[in-house]
Amino acid sequence: MNSTQLVNLLRERLPSRDLEWRYDREKNTANIHHLKIGKGLTLDLPKITSRYETKGEEAVNEIIYTINETFKAMEREAEGDLPGGEHIYPVIRSTSFPVVSNEGNRFITSDHTAETRIFYALDTGAAYRLIDENVLNSLSLTEDQLKELARFQVKKLKTAVKEDHVAGNVFYFLNENDGYDASRILNETFLKDMKKKITGDMTVSVPHQDVMIIGDIRNESGYDVLAQMAMHFFTNGKVPITSLSFVYENDELEPIFILAKNRPEEENDKK
């Protein structure tokens, strides 16, 4: 399926006089503008077609669901029906992720690592909306208050992990599929508790939004396994973040480049 076919299919599955579609062939994106709300969203068509090649109809159903829920959230926002502070969470994105909304409003963000940045989301149940300056004003919160609420809320998220042993190394997977799996990297108490279980080098990976991988790297081959694993999740995630992993040492995260058959070099050393 090519981009034109995908846009035509989505338009057929989302028939509404309230939606105005614009297909940008040069950027290979589609913008859907909701005429009543006065807002819209932009689809990265290559990412969706790639997912369609591996997941078929399920990928189409997922994007239609996301579009519908996003516009429902925008409608509630326009009506002033916003959730309270208990529905505010931090979300992790790549540093290349746009820091300004399609409407030109600045998203509320915080620095994290050289590879990642913290955004903030308003959870509406079935979806969430990244918080920009306009939404922040609607919530009657300051930036500091917003960030404090998010730090508190992330500590309340479940941290159950699944364990897997590969080539003498141990990998722990956190995959609740609640939209905030990668956000658990901000739960310092959780990271410190995991560190106590680790006998080798502790690594943390957030290749996409819906997974976090903690590695107990006990031998050289563990780094090769980790590199392949992180790249696989990065290329198959709906919201990719980074294919690089982090070493967790002295309560700090340091991005690493993993060289095949070698121990990692810290990013600063690599440069």
Side-chain angles (χ1 to χ4, degrees):
M1 177 183 292
N2 59 36
S3 295
T4 302
Q5 292 171 327
L6 174 61
V7 172
N8 290 336
L9 175 61
L10 293 176
R11 293 184 68 170
E12 290 175 6
R13 298 280 293 275
L14 290 164
S16 174
R17 294 181 179 179
D18 295 332
L19 299 182
E20 181 180 72
W21 294 73
R22 294 178 182 174
Y23 173 32
D24 189 324
R25 293 180 181 275
E26 184 177 342
K27 295 182 179 179
N28 211 355
T29 60
N31 179 267
I32 312 172
H33 186 74
H34 198 295
L35 298 176
K36 287 186 176 180
I37 304 173
K39 295 182 179 180
L41 55 86
T42 300
L43 305 179
D44 187 327
L45 298 176
K47 287 184 180 178
I48 301 173
T49 53
S50 176
R51 288 185 62 77
Y52 179 81
E53 290 175 3
T54 57
K55 301 183 69 173
E57 185 67 13
E58 183 182 348
V60 177
N61 292 334
E62 285 178 353
I63 190 61
I64 289 174
Y65 176 80
T66 300
I67 293 169
N68 281 327
E69 292 301 324
T70 299
F71 282 129
K72 285 179 183 178
M74 288 181 179
E75 287 174 358
R76 289 194 291 270
E77 178 189 331
E79 295 168 357
D81 182 20
L82 293 172
E86 70 273 14
H87 297 282
I88 292 171
Y89 294 92
V91 291
I92 301 296
R93 291 290 185 268
S94 164
T95 49
S96 63
F97 192 87
V99 294
V100 176
S101 71
N102 290 333
E103 292 78 31
N105 300 313
R106 179 181 64 88
F107 286 123
I108 308 303
T109 65
S110 296
D111 292 336
H112 185 227
T113 73
E115 304 297 322
T116 54
R117 180 176 287 122
I118 306 170
F119 287 71
Y120 298 88
L122 185 65
D123 194 294
T124 58
Y128 62 65
R129 167 78 187 276
L130 292 182
I131 297 174
D132 58 26
E133 292 173 310
N134 276 1
V135 177
L136 183 66
N137 291 333
S138 300
L139 292 168
S140 300
L141 295 171
T142 66
E143 283 196 29
D144 287 342
Q145 289 171 331
L146 174 79
K147 294 174 182 180
E148 183 61 31
L149 282 169
R151 281 193 292 268
F152 178 75
Q153 286 300 115
V154 77
K155 295 177 181 178
K156 295 165 63 176
L157 295 171
K158 293 168 58 178
T159 53
V161 295
K162 295 180 180 178
E163 184 176 329
D164 192 14
H165 294 248
V166 183
N169 303 276
V170 185
F171 297 94
Y172 301 92
F173 297 85
L174 203 157
N175 182 219
E176 293 290 338
N177 275 316
D178 56 8
Y180 306 107
D181 288 305
S183 299
R184 270 80 164 183
I185 198 173
L186 302 174
N187 186 338
E188 296 174 0
T189 301
F190 171 58
L191 294 183
K192 290 177 180 179
D193 287 344
M194 290 299 299
K195 178 68 173 176
K196 295 174 184 176
K197 299 173 60 174
I198 304 297
T199 61
D201 294 337
M202 178 172 169
T203 61
V204 183
S205 310
V206 284
H208 67 71
Q209 168 185 284
D210 297 311
V211 69
M212 183 165 76
I213 307 167
I214 294 177
D216 183 349
I217 309 300
R218 301 176 179 180
N219 56 48
E220 299 296 330
S221 63
Y223 289 101
D224 291 326
V225 173
L226 178 63
Q228 295 168 22
M229 193 181 293
M231 181 57 72
H232 170 76
F233 279 102
F234 176 75
T235 55
N236 288 281
K238 285 190 292 186
V239 185
I241 299 176
T242 177
S243 60
L244 290 183
S245 295
F246 304 87
V247 167
Y248 183 71
E249 189 67 40
N250 298 322
D251 301 337
E252 293 185 356
L253 294 163
E254 189 69 35
I256 55 172
F257 290 96
I258 299 173
L259 308 178
K261 306 304 179 185
N262 288 288
R263 289 183 59 83
E265 294 185 9
E266 291 188 359
E267 186 178 28
N268 292 336
D269 294 337
K270 179 71 175 177
K271 291 178 180 179

